[in-house]
Amino acid sequence: MIAVAATLHRFKPRFRGLAWSAVGVGGGLAGFATVIGFVALPFATGLAGVALGTAYLLSPTWRLAVTVDDDGLAVGSPARQRFRLLWRDVVKVVAAPATNTCFVDGGAPERSLLVPGDGAPAPYDLEDRPGLVAAILSHVDPARIQHVESLEAAKKAAVEKS
């Protein structure tokens, strides 16, 4: 087998536009409340919008990355690795390649990874999702991969089955 260089897929904020809107509208509201004579409720609401939008954009989550190599995948920041999952330890992968979405089950929630595709309910996205999903699918034993149309449909079917 030919060794492949490790690839890095950084986490990135999915709702950047909403966060920037909260900062802008909140700042405008706080400024307006100050100009019309310091009205406390609009001022506090505006500051809350600025604070929440800024907190989302500056979240430490955006320092995390998924690193994929021939042995497995790792999730962590430059300062601390959250977990490492070897390919042989992957319990199951549920993948929807059409939307570049997959769930890697590492046996426990703290050792599992959701790669959220288009429309997936996650507050984050990952750089080069198609490349990450392809790397995961190429490294995991095909017997452990379940291909689905969407993760939501698979989840719904599993709930109905149980």
PDB file of all heavy atoms in Angstrom, residues 5-45:
ATOM      1  N   ALA A   5      -0.004  11.232   2.276  1.00  0.00           N
ATOM      2  CA  ALA A   5       0.221  12.292   3.263  1.00  0.00           C
ATOM      3  C   ALA A   5      -1.075  12.599   4.003  1.00  0.00           C
ATOM      4  O   ALA A   5      -2.169  12.496   3.452  1.00  0.00           O
ATOM      5  CB  ALA A   5       0.733  13.541   2.565  1.00  0.00           C
ATOM      6  N   ALA A   6      -0.939  12.963   5.249  1.00  0.00           N
ATOM      7  CA  ALA A   6      -2.097  13.329   6.055  1.00  0.00           C
ATOM      8  C   ALA A   6      -2.763  14.575   5.477  1.00  0.00           C
ATOM      9  O   ALA A   6      -2.086  15.476   4.987  1.00  0.00           O
ATOM     10  CB  ALA A   6      -1.669  13.581   7.492  1.00  0.00           C
ATOM     11  N   THR A   7      -4.076  14.592   5.517  1.00  0.00           N
ATOM     12  CA  THR A   7      -4.820  15.769   5.063  1.00  0.00           C
ATOM     13  C   THR A   7      -5.515  16.400   6.260  1.00  0.00           C
ATOM     14  O   THR A   7      -5.931  15.715   7.185  1.00  0.00           O
ATOM     15  CB  THR A   7      -5.856  15.420   3.979  1.00  0.00           C
ATOM     16  OG1 THR A   7      -6.773  14.449   4.501  1.00  0.00           O
ATOM     17  CG2 THR A   7      -5.186  14.882   2.741  1.00  0.00           C
ATOM     18  N   LEU A   8      -5.642  17.706   6.222  1.00  0.00           N
ATOM     19  CA  LEU A   8      -6.227  18.477   7.304  1.00  0.00           C
ATOM     20  C   LEU A   8      -7.515  19.128   6.813  1.00  0.00           C
ATOM     21  O   LEU A   8      -7.530  19.753   5.752  1.00  0.00           O
ATOM     22  CB  LEU A   8      -5.225  19.558   7.743  1.00  0.00           C
ATOM     23  CG  LEU A   8      -5.540  20.317   9.004  1.00  0.00           C
ATOM     24  CD1 LEU A   8      -5.334  19.418  10.217  1.00  0.00           C
ATOM     25  CD2 LEU A   8      -4.612  21.520   9.111  1.00  0.00           C
ATOM     26  N   HIS A   9      -8.584  18.959   7.584  1.00  0.00           N
ATOM     27  CA  HIS A   9      -9.892  19.529   7.242  1.00  0.00           C
ATOM     28  C   HIS A   9     -10.356  20.337   8.455  1.00  0.00           C
ATOM     29  O   HIS A   9     -10.856  19.774   9.427  1.00  0.00           O
ATOM     30  CB  HIS A   9     -10.890  18.411   6.924  1.00  0.00           C
ATOM     31  CG  HIS A   9     -10.414  17.495   5.853  1.00  0.00           C
ATOM     32  ND1 HIS A   9     -10.663  17.720   4.525  1.00  0.00           N
ATOM     33  CD2 HIS A   9      -9.664  16.365   5.908  1.00  0.00           C
ATOM     34  CE1 HIS A   9     -10.109  16.752   3.808  1.00  0.00           C
ATOM     35  NE2 HIS A   9      -9.499  15.925   4.631  1.00  0.00           N
ATOM     36  N   ARG A  10     -10.190  21.657   8.373  1.00  0.00           N
ATOM     37  CA  ARG A  10     -10.518  22.520   9.505  1.00  0.00           C
ATOM     38  C   ARG A  10     -12.024  22.718   9.655  1.00  0.00           C
ATOM     39  O   ARG A  10     -12.752  22.796   8.669  1.00  0.00           O
ATOM     40  CB  ARG A  10      -9.840  23.873   9.356  1.00  0.00           C
ATOM     41  CG  ARG A  10      -8.341  23.801   9.469  1.00  0.00           C
ATOM     42  CD  ARG A  10      -7.701  25.152   9.416  1.00  0.00           C
ATOM     43  NE  ARG A  10      -8.354  25.995   8.414  1.00  0.00           N
ATOM     44  CZ  ARG A  10      -8.136  27.271   8.250  1.00  0.00           C
ATOM     45  NH1 ARG A  10      -7.294  27.895   9.016  1.00  0.00           N
ATOM     46  NH2 ARG A  10      -8.754  27.956   7.318  1.00  0.00           N
ATOM     47  N   PHE A  11     -12.454  22.836  10.921  1.00  0.00           N
ATOM     48  CA  PHE A  11     -13.830  23.208  11.223  1.00  0.00           C
ATOM     49  C   PHE A  11     -13.987  24.683  10.878  1.00  0.00           C
ATOM     50  O   PHE A  11     -13.063  25.474  11.063  1.00  0.00           O
ATOM     51  CB  PHE A  11     -14.134  23.022  12.711  1.00  0.00           C
ATOM     52  CG  PHE A  11     -14.394  21.607  13.118  1.00  0.00           C
ATOM     53  CD1 PHE A  11     -13.402  20.643  13.052  1.00  0.00           C
ATOM     54  CD2 PHE A  11     -15.645  21.240  13.584  1.00  0.00           C
ATOM     55  CE1 PHE A  11     -13.641  19.346  13.444  1.00  0.00           C
ATOM     56  CE2 PHE A  11     -15.897  19.934  13.978  1.00  0.00           C
ATOM     57  CZ  PHE A  11     -14.897  18.979  13.906  1.00  0.00           C
ATOM     58  N   LYS A  12     -15.147  25.050  10.380  1.00  0.00           N
ATOM     59  CA  LYS A  12     -15.407  26.465  10.102  1.00  0.00           C
ATOM     60  C   LYS A  12     -16.858  26.778  10.428  1.00  0.00           C
ATOM     61  O   LYS A  12     -17.712  25.887  10.394  1.00  0.00           O
ATOM     62  CB  LYS A  12     -15.056  26.816   8.651  1.00  0.00           C
ATOM     63  CG  LYS A  12     -15.779  26.030   7.612  1.00  0.00           C
ATOM     64  CD  LYS A  12     -15.273  26.393   6.217  1.00  0.00           C
ATOM     65  CE  LYS A  12     -16.100  25.684   5.162  1.00  0.00           C
ATOM     66  NZ  LYS A  12     -15.705  26.051   3.817  1.00  0.00           N
ATOM     67  N   PRO A  13     -17.141  28.018  10.770  1.00  0.00           N
ATOM     68  CA  PRO A  13     -18.507  28.376  11.160  1.00  0.00           C
ATOM     69  C   PRO A  13     -19.462  28.284   9.972  1.00  0.00           C
ATOM     70  O   PRO A  13     -19.168  28.788   8.893  1.00  0.00           O
ATOM     71  CB  PRO A  13     -18.385  29.806  11.672  1.00  0.00           C
ATOM     72  CG  PRO A  13     -17.088  30.318  11.163  1.00  0.00           C
ATOM     73  CD  PRO A  13     -16.220  29.146  10.861  1.00  0.00           C
ATOM     74  N   ARG A  14     -20.581  27.632  10.181  1.00  0.00           N
ATOM     75  CA  ARG A  14     -21.563  27.471   9.127  1.00  0.00           C
ATOM     76  C   ARG A  14     -22.459  28.710   8.986  1.00  0.00           C
ATOM     77  O   ARG A  14     -22.932  29.025   7.916  1.00  0.00           O
ATOM     78  CB  ARG A  14     -22.422  26.244   9.419  1.00  0.00           C
ATOM     79  CG  ARG A  14     -23.509  26.031   8.395  1.00  0.00           C
ATOM     80  CD  ARG A  14     -24.144  24.704   8.578  1.00  0.00           C
ATOM     81  NE  ARG A  14     -23.467  23.798   7.665  1.00  0.00           N
ATOM     82  CZ  ARG A  14     -23.853  22.580   7.398  1.00  0.00           C
ATOM     83  NH1 ARG A  14     -24.892  22.088   7.991  1.00  0.00           N
ATOM     84  NH2 ARG A  14     -23.205  21.835   6.555  1.00  0.00           N
ATOM     85  N   PHE A  15     -22.691  29.392  10.088  1.00  0.00           N
ATOM     86  CA  PHE A  15     -23.632  30.519  10.085  1.00  0.00           C
ATOM     87  C   PHE A  15     -22.918  31.861  10.215  1.00  0.00           C
ATOM     88  O   PHE A  15     -23.327  32.728  10.988  1.00  0.00           O
ATOM     89  CB  PHE A  15     -24.658  30.341  11.214  1.00  0.00           C
ATOM     90  CG  PHE A  15     -25.403  29.042  11.136  1.00  0.00           C
ATOM     91  CD1 PHE A  15     -25.256  28.082  12.116  1.00  0.00           C
ATOM     92  CD2 PHE A  15     -26.228  28.767  10.056  1.00  0.00           C
ATOM     93  CE1 PHE A  15     -25.932  26.887  12.044  1.00  0.00           C
ATOM     94  CE2 PHE A  15     -26.908  27.569   9.975  1.00  0.00           C
ATOM     95  CZ  PHE A  15     -26.757  26.625  10.967  1.00  0.00           C
ATOM     96  N   ARG A  16     -21.854  32.039   9.450  1.00  0.00           N
ATOM     97  CA  ARG A  16     -21.104  33.298   9.507  1.00  0.00           C
ATOM     98  C   ARG A  16     -21.988  34.501   9.174  1.00  0.00           C
ATOM     99  O   ARG A  16     -21.904  35.533   9.826  1.00  0.00           O
ATOM    100  CB  ARG A  16     -19.919  33.252   8.538  1.00  0.00           C
ATOM    101  CG  ARG A  16     -18.798  32.384   8.981  1.00  0.00           C
ATOM    102  CD  ARG A  16     -17.651  32.421   7.977  1.00  0.00           C
ATOM    103  NE  ARG A  16     -18.052  31.988   6.648  1.00  0.00           N
ATOM    104  CZ  ARG A  16     -18.001  30.730   6.221  1.00  0.00           C
ATOM    105  NH1 ARG A  16     -17.564  29.789   7.009  1.00  0.00           N
ATOM    106  NH2 ARG A  16     -18.377  30.409   5.004  1.00  0.00           N
ATOM    107  N   GLY A  17     -22.808  34.361   8.156  1.00  0.00           N
ATOM    108  CA  GLY A  17     -23.672  35.475   7.743  1.00  0.00           C
ATOM    109  C   GLY A  17     -24.635  35.880   8.845  1.00  0.00           C
ATOM    110  O   GLY A  17     -24.841  37.077   9.100  1.00  0.00           O
ATOM    111  N   LEU A  18     -25.208  34.902   9.520  1.00  0.00           N
ATOM    112  CA  LEU A  18     -26.127  35.192  10.616  1.00  0.00           C
ATOM    113  C   LEU A  18     -25.387  35.872  11.776  1.00  0.00           C
ATOM    114  O   LEU A  18     -25.888  36.819  12.377  1.00  0.00           O
ATOM    115  CB  LEU A  18     -26.800  33.902  11.093  1.00  0.00           C
ATOM    116  CG  LEU A  18     -27.825  34.036  12.207  1.00  0.00           C
ATOM    117  CD1 LEU A  18     -28.983  34.917  11.767  1.00  0.00           C
ATOM    118  CD2 LEU A  18     -28.333  32.664  12.615  1.00  0.00           C
ATOM    119  N   ALA A  19     -24.188  35.380  12.071  1.00  0.00           N
ATOM    120  CA  ALA A  19     -23.402  35.980  13.159  1.00  0.00           C
ATOM    121  C   ALA A  19     -23.041  37.430  12.826  1.00  0.00           C
ATOM    122  O   ALA A  19     -23.153  38.318  13.681  1.00  0.00           O
ATOM    123  CB  ALA A  19     -22.143  35.161  13.421  1.00  0.00           C
ATOM    124  N   TRP A  20     -22.579  37.664  11.600  1.00  0.00           N
ATOM    125  CA  TRP A  20     -22.243  39.039  11.208  1.00  0.00           C
ATOM    126  C   TRP A  20     -23.489  39.924  11.210  1.00  0.00           C
ATOM    127  O   TRP A  20     -23.418  41.111  11.567  1.00  0.00           O
ATOM    128  CB  TRP A  20     -21.560  39.078   9.841  1.00  0.00           C
ATOM    129  CG  TRP A  20     -20.112  38.720   9.914  1.00  0.00           C
ATOM    130  CD1 TRP A  20     -19.498  37.635   9.379  1.00  0.00           C
ATOM    131  CD2 TRP A  20     -19.084  39.460  10.579  1.00  0.00           C
ATOM    132  NE1 TRP A  20     -18.159  37.641   9.676  1.00  0.00           N
ATOM    133  CE2 TRP A  20     -17.876  38.751  10.414  1.00  0.00           C
ATOM    134  CE3 TRP A  20     -19.063  40.651  11.305  1.00  0.00           C
ATOM    135  CZ2 TRP A  20     -16.669  39.191  10.943  1.00  0.00           C
ATOM    136  CZ3 TRP A  20     -17.857  41.087  11.832  1.00  0.00           C
ATOM    137  CH2 TRP A  20     -16.680  40.368  11.647  1.00  0.00           C
ATOM    138  N   SER A  21     -24.649  39.374  10.839  1.00  0.00           N
ATOM    139  CA  SER A  21     -25.900  40.139  10.892  1.00  0.00           C
ATOM    140  C   SER A  21     -26.246  40.507  12.329  1.00  0.00           C
ATOM    141  O   SER A  21     -26.688  41.628  12.596  1.00  0.00           O
ATOM    142  CB  SER A  21     -27.046  39.331  10.279  1.00  0.00           C
ATOM    143  OG  SER A  21     -26.824  39.124   8.909  1.00  0.00           O
ATOM    144  N   ALA A  22     -26.051  39.562  13.257  1.00  0.00           N
ATOM    145  CA  ALA A  22     -26.328  39.844  14.669  1.00  0.00           C
ATOM    146  C   ALA A  22     -25.417  40.956  15.175  1.00  0.00           C
ATOM    147  O   ALA A  22     -25.860  41.851  15.909  1.00  0.00           O
ATOM    148  CB  ALA A  22     -26.141  38.581  15.515  1.00  0.00           C
ATOM    149  N   VAL A  23     -24.150  40.915  14.773  1.00  0.00           N
ATOM    150  CA  VAL A  23     -23.202  41.961  15.182  1.00  0.00           C
ATOM    151  C   VAL A  23     -23.627  43.307  14.591  1.00  0.00           C
ATOM    152  O   VAL A  23     -23.688  44.322  15.292  1.00  0.00           O
ATOM    153  CB  VAL A  23     -21.760  41.603  14.752  1.00  0.00           C
ATOM    154  CG1 VAL A  23     -20.822  42.786  14.950  1.00  0.00           C
ATOM    155  CG2 VAL A  23     -21.254  40.388  15.522  1.00  0.00           C
ATOM    156  N   GLY A  24     -23.958  43.323  13.306  1.00  0.00           N
ATOM    157  CA  GLY A  24     -24.336  44.577  12.639  1.00  0.00           C
ATOM    158  C   GLY A  24     -25.641  45.159  13.145  1.00  0.00           C
ATOM    159  O   GLY A  24     -25.711  46.356  13.493  1.00  0.00           O
ATOM    160  N   VAL A  25     -26.676  44.330  13.213  1.00  0.00           N
ATOM    161  CA  VAL A  25     -27.980  44.818  13.681  1.00  0.00           C
ATOM    162  C   VAL A  25     -27.896  45.192  15.155  1.00  0.00           C
ATOM    163  O   VAL A  25     -28.432  46.221  15.578  1.00  0.00           O
ATOM    164  CB  VAL A  25     -29.083  43.759  13.434  1.00  0.00           C
ATOM    165  CG1 VAL A  25     -30.382  44.143  14.118  1.00  0.00           C
ATOM    166  CG2 VAL A  25     -29.310  43.579  11.942  1.00  0.00           C
ATOM    167  N   GLY A  26     -27.206  44.350  15.946  1.00  0.00           N
ATOM    168  CA  GLY A  26     -27.057  44.657  17.365  1.00  0.00           C
ATOM    169  C   GLY A  26     -26.303  45.948  17.589  1.00  0.00           C
ATOM    170  O   GLY A  26     -26.677  46.774  18.439  1.00  0.00           O
ATOM    171  N   GLY A  27     -25.230  46.153  16.826  1.00  0.00           N
ATOM    172  CA  GLY A  27     -24.470  47.401  16.938  1.00  0.00           C
ATOM    173  C   GLY A  27     -25.304  48.598  16.538  1.00  0.00           C
ATOM    174  O   GLY A  27     -25.263  49.648  17.197  1.00  0.00           O
ATOM    175  N   GLY A  28     -26.074  48.435  15.468  1.00  0.00           N
ATOM    176  CA  GLY A  28     -26.946  49.527  15.028  1.00  0.00           C
ATOM    177  C   GLY A  28     -28.026  49.844  16.053  1.00  0.00           C
ATOM    178  O   GLY A  28     -28.314  51.020  16.338  1.00  0.00           O
ATOM    179  N   LEU A  29     -28.594  48.799  16.644  1.00  0.00           N
ATOM    180  CA  LEU A  29     -29.632  48.986  17.658  1.00  0.00           C
ATOM    181  C   LEU A  29     -29.061  49.668  18.903  1.00  0.00           C
ATOM    182  O   LEU A  29     -29.667  50.602  19.450  1.00  0.00           O
ATOM    183  CB  LEU A  29     -30.245  47.633  18.024  1.00  0.00           C
ATOM    184  CG  LEU A  29     -31.451  47.628  18.945  1.00  0.00           C
ATOM    185  CD1 LEU A  29     -32.597  48.439  18.336  1.00  0.00           C
ATOM    186  CD2 LEU A  29     -31.898  46.193  19.183  1.00  0.00           C
ATOM    187  N   ALA A  30     -27.888  49.228  19.331  1.00  0.00           N
ATOM    188  CA  ALA A  30     -27.261  49.846  20.500  1.00  0.00           C
ATOM    189  C   ALA A  30     -26.911  51.309  20.206  1.00  0.00           C
ATOM    190  O   ALA A  30     -27.111  52.194  21.058  1.00  0.00           O
ATOM    191  CB  ALA A  30     -26.009  49.068  20.902  1.00  0.00           C
ATOM    192  N   GLY A  31     -26.404  51.569  19.006  1.00  0.00           N
ATOM    193  CA  GLY A  31     -26.079  52.948  18.625  1.00  0.00           C
ATOM    194  C   GLY A  31     -27.315  53.822  18.568  1.00  0.00           C
ATOM    195  O   GLY A  31     -27.315  54.956  19.066  1.00  0.00           O
ATOM    196  N   PHE A  32     -28.389  53.289  17.989  1.00  0.00           N
ATOM    197  CA  PHE A  32     -29.647  54.036  17.895  1.00  0.00           C
ATOM    198  C   PHE A  32     -30.198  54.328  19.288  1.00  0.00           C
ATOM    199  O   PHE A  32     -30.657  55.447  19.567  1.00  0.00           O
ATOM    200  CB  PHE A  32     -30.664  53.253  17.069  1.00  0.00           C
ATOM    201  CG  PHE A  32     -31.978  53.928  16.911  1.00  0.00           C
ATOM    202  CD1 PHE A  32     -32.104  55.038  16.084  1.00  0.00           C
ATOM    203  CD2 PHE A  32     -33.097  53.474  17.593  1.00  0.00           C
ATOM    204  CE1 PHE A  32     -33.322  55.677  15.930  1.00  0.00           C
ATOM    205  CE2 PHE A  32     -34.317  54.106  17.454  1.00  0.00           C
ATOM    206  CZ  PHE A  32     -34.432  55.208  16.620  1.00  0.00           C
ATOM    207  N   ALA A  33     -30.129  53.334  20.191  1.00  0.00           N
ATOM    208  CA  ALA A  33     -30.632  53.523  21.556  1.00  0.00           C
ATOM    209  C   ALA A  33     -29.842  54.597  22.291  1.00  0.00           C
ATOM    210  O   ALA A  33     -30.387  55.336  23.109  1.00  0.00           O
ATOM    211  CB  ALA A  33     -30.568  52.202  22.325  1.00  0.00           C
ATOM    212  N   THR A  34     -28.560  54.701  21.978  1.00  0.00           N
ATOM    213  CA  THR A  34     -27.718  55.720  22.608  1.00  0.00           C
ATOM    214  C   THR A  34     -28.060  57.111  22.059  1.00  0.00           C
ATOM    215  O   THR A  34     -28.182  58.084  22.812  1.00  0.00           O
ATOM    216  CB  THR A  34     -26.227  55.406  22.359  1.00  0.00           C
ATOM    217  OG1 THR A  34     -25.941  54.108  22.881  1.00  0.00           O
ATOM    218  CG2 THR A  34     -25.332  56.421  23.017  1.00  0.00           C
ATOM    219  N   VAL A  35     -28.265  57.190  20.744  1.00  0.00           N
ATOM    220  CA  VAL A  35     -28.536  58.476  20.098  1.00  0.00           C
ATOM    221  C   VAL A  35     -29.879  59.065  20.538  1.00  0.00           C
ATOM    222  O   VAL A  35     -29.993  60.276  20.734  1.00  0.00           O
ATOM    223  CB  VAL A  35     -28.499  58.316  18.552  1.00  0.00           C
ATOM    224  CG1 VAL A  35     -29.055  59.540  17.852  1.00  0.00           C
ATOM    225  CG2 VAL A  35     -27.092  58.032  18.096  1.00  0.00           C
ATOM    226  N   ILE A  36     -30.885  58.224  20.738  1.00  0.00           N
ATOM    227  CA  ILE A  36     -32.205  58.761  21.087  1.00  0.00           C
ATOM    228  C   ILE A  36     -32.374  58.997  22.589  1.00  0.00           C
ATOM    229  O   ILE A  36     -33.465  59.257  23.056  1.00  0.00           O
ATOM    230  CB  ILE A  36     -33.347  57.868  20.566  1.00  0.00           C
ATOM    231  CG1 ILE A  36     -33.306  56.482  21.198  1.00  0.00           C
ATOM    232  CG2 ILE A  36     -33.348  57.796  19.070  1.00  0.00           C
ATOM    233  CD1 ILE A  36     -34.537  55.640  20.920  1.00  0.00           C
ATOM    234  N   GLY A  37     -31.304  58.877  23.338  1.00  0.00           N
ATOM    235  CA  GLY A  37     -31.394  59.202  24.762  1.00  0.00           C
ATOM    236  C   GLY A  37     -31.159  58.022  25.672  1.00  0.00           C
ATOM    237  O   GLY A  37     -31.746  57.968  26.748  1.00  0.00           O
ATOM    238  N   PHE A  38     -30.362  57.102  25.256  1.00  0.00           N
ATOM    239  CA  PHE A  38     -30.000  55.913  26.035  1.00  0.00           C
ATOM    240  C   PHE A  38     -31.221  55.191  26.587  1.00  0.00           C
ATOM    241  O   PHE A  38     -31.548  55.254  27.764  1.00  0.00           O
ATOM    242  CB  PHE A  38     -29.027  56.239  27.164  1.00  0.00           C
ATOM    243  CG  PHE A  38     -28.463  54.981  27.783  1.00  0.00           C
ATOM    244  CD1 PHE A  38     -27.490  54.247  27.123  1.00  0.00           C
ATOM    245  CD2 PHE A  38     -28.925  54.513  28.987  1.00  0.00           C
ATOM    246  CE1 PHE A  38     -26.988  53.074  27.674  1.00  0.00           C
ATOM    247  CE2 PHE A  38     -28.436  53.352  29.550  1.00  0.00           C
ATOM    248  CZ  PHE A  38     -27.456  52.625  28.882  1.00  0.00           C
ATOM    249  N   VAL A  39     -31.901  54.486  25.706  1.00  0.00           N
ATOM    250  CA  VAL A  39     -33.019  53.639  26.098  1.00  0.00           C
ATOM    251  C   VAL A  39     -32.425  52.275  26.442  1.00  0.00           C
ATOM    252  O   VAL A  39     -31.774  51.639  25.612  1.00  0.00           O
ATOM    253  CB  VAL A  39     -34.057  53.535  24.953  1.00  0.00           C
ATOM    254  CG1 VAL A  39     -35.221  52.669  25.362  1.00  0.00           C
ATOM    255  CG2 VAL A  39     -34.527  54.925  24.562  1.00  0.00           C
ATOM    256  N   ALA A  40     -32.625  51.824  27.653  1.00  0.00           N
ATOM    257  CA  ALA A  40     -31.907  50.659  28.196  1.00  0.00           C
ATOM    258  C   ALA A  40     -32.207  49.348  27.465  1.00  0.00           C
ATOM    259  O   ALA A  40     -31.279  48.592  27.161  1.00  0.00           O
ATOM    260  CB  ALA A  40     -32.203  50.501  29.676  1.00  0.00           C
ATOM    261  N   LEU A  41     -33.457  49.044  27.191  1.00  0.00           N
ATOM    262  CA  LEU A  41     -33.791  47.738  26.598  1.00  0.00           C
ATOM    263  C   LEU A  41     -33.203  47.572  25.193  1.00  0.00           C
ATOM    264  O   LEU A  41     -32.539  46.561  24.926  1.00  0.00           O
ATOM    265  CB  LEU A  41     -35.300  47.512  26.592  1.00  0.00           C
ATOM    266  CG  LEU A  41     -35.735  46.138  26.071  1.00  0.00           C
ATOM    267  CD1 LEU A  41     -35.158  45.012  26.939  1.00  0.00           C
ATOM    268  CD2 LEU A  41     -37.247  46.039  26.043  1.00  0.00           C
ATOM    269  N   PRO A  42     -33.398  48.523  24.281  1.00  0.00           N
ATOM    270  CA  PRO A  42     -32.770  48.349  22.964  1.00  0.00           C
ATOM    271  C   PRO A  42     -31.247  48.343  23.037  1.00  0.00           C
ATOM    272  O   PRO A  42     -30.585  47.613  22.300  1.00  0.00           O
ATOM    273  CB  PRO A  42     -33.265  49.542  22.145  1.00  0.00           C
ATOM    274  CG  PRO A  42     -34.418  50.091  22.876  1.00  0.00           C
ATOM    275  CD  PRO A  42     -34.286  49.680  24.298  1.00  0.00           C
ATOM    276  N   PHE A  43     -30.682  49.116  23.960  1.00  0.00           N
ATOM    277  CA  PHE A  43     -29.233  49.144  24.112  1.00  0.00           C
ATOM    278  C   PHE A  43     -28.722  47.776  24.574  1.00  0.00           C
ATOM    279  O   PHE A  43     -27.775  47.221  24.001  1.00  0.00           O
ATOM    280  CB  PHE A  43     -28.830  50.234  25.114  1.00  0.00           C
ATOM    281  CG  PHE A  43     -27.349  50.354  25.293  1.00  0.00           C
ATOM    282  CD1 PHE A  43     -26.579  50.983  24.316  1.00  0.00           C
ATOM    283  CD2 PHE A  43     -26.714  49.839  26.411  1.00  0.00           C
ATOM    284  CE1 PHE A  43     -25.203  51.093  24.464  1.00  0.00           C
ATOM    285  CE2 PHE A  43     -25.351  49.943  26.572  1.00  0.00           C
ATOM    286  CZ  PHE A  43     -24.585  50.568  25.591  1.00  0.00           C
ATOM    287  N   ALA A  44     -29.369  47.201  25.580  1.00  0.00           N
ATOM    288  CA  ALA A  44     -28.964  45.887  26.106  1.00  0.00           C
ATOM    289  C   ALA A  44     -29.175  44.795  25.058  1.00  0.00           C
ATOM    290  O   ALA A  44     -28.325  43.911  24.895  1.00  0.00           O
ATOM    291  CB  ALA A  44     -29.745  45.570  27.373  1.00  0.00           C
ATOM    292  N   THR A  45     -30.277  44.867  24.336  1.00  0.00           N
ATOM    293  CA  THR A  45     -30.546  43.884  23.293  1.00  0.00           C
ATOM    294  C   THR A  45     -29.512  43.985  22.185  1.00  0.00           C
ATOM    295  O   THR A  45     -29.023  42.974  21.677  1.00  0.00           O
ATOM    296  CB  THR A  45     -31.965  44.092  22.713  1.00  0.00           C
ATOM    297  OG1 THR A  45     -32.910  44.050  23.785  1.00  0.00           O
ATOM    298  CG2 THR A  45     -32.315  43.041  21.702  1.00  0.00           C
TER     299      THR A  45
END
